[in-house]
Amino acid sequence: MKQEFFELSIETPGKSLTDISGVVQGAVSDHELGSGLLTLWCVHTGAALLVQANADPEVVKDIETFFEELVPKSSGKYHHRPSEDDNAPSHLRAPLTQTQVSIPVEQGQLPLGRVQSLYLFEHREAPKTRRLKVHYIGT
């Protein structure tokens, strides 16, 4: 058994779902990971990780619209008042999603479904550099 820790840096364009499947698969290949379990941890409270459909771009738009309606940016609506207007809504969106995801690795490949992708869900409006801590245990 081997265990490995490393970090990925992901640039986001601001509020969006960014497909990071290729970046993560590239890291699996670069680190020569065999078969095991890969856990990704997003070390931010204004972003999240999720696996979602990729076949139709309207799915991503629907998710973004749903979250805009569920937790809108609204001046005076939220109790905590940080320096940026979108901070409070991003903190409310984050617990509705997840900060970590575990994905199996099979013979050096992420076995995502035919229409699945791994996304970094940026809840903030401004472009950000997000760090993901990666833990792998396997062969």
Side-chain angles (χ1 to χ4, degrees):
M1 281 302 243
K2 95 177 190 180
Q3 182 169 216
E4 195 162 336
F5 295 91
F6 56 94
E7 190 171 292
L8 296 173
S9 181
I10 309 290
E11 301 290 329
T12 72
K15 195 180 286 186
S16 64
L17 281 99
T18 300
D19 186 340
I20 62 169
S21 306
V23 172
V24 175
Q25 179 60 61
V28 167
S29 298
D30 290 348
H31 288 264
E32 299 179 352
L33 305 180
S35 293
L37 186 64
L38 187 75
T39 300
L40 302 165
W41 175 262
C42 180
V43 292
H44 303 278
T45 57
L49 296 165
L50 63 130
V51 174
Q52 191 50 256
N54 66 13
D56 182 351
E58 298 301 317
V59 172
V60 169
K61 287 181 186 174
D62 287 343
I63 292 169
E64 291 170 342
T65 299
F66 173 77
F67 273 86
E68 285 297 318
E69 292 171 359
L70 188 64
V71 188
K73 180 176 139 182
S74 179
S75 181
K77 180 175 181 150
Y78 305 109
H79 295 285
H80 78 289
R81 305 235 188 275
S83 58
E84 299 173 51
D85 289 345
D86 68 337
N87 204 24
S90 73
H91 289 163
L92 294 172
R93 290 170 184 215
L96 300 173
T97 50
Q98 56 192 349
T99 55
Q100 71 97 35
V101 64
S102 293
I103 302 173
V105 177
E106 296 176 351
Q107 299 176 358
Q109 299 295 311
L110 299 176
L112 292 168
R114 188 174 55 82
V115 296
Q116 284 182 321
S117 285
L118 175 62
Y119 291 95
L120 177 62
F121 192 1
E122 178 62 64
H123 298 307
R124 302 295 301 273
E125 292 176 355
K128 301 284 182 191
T129 300
R130 297 303 193 177
R131 294 180 310 126
L132 303 180
K133 296 287 187 176
V134 182
H135 175 226
Y136 173 79
I137 188 162
T139 60

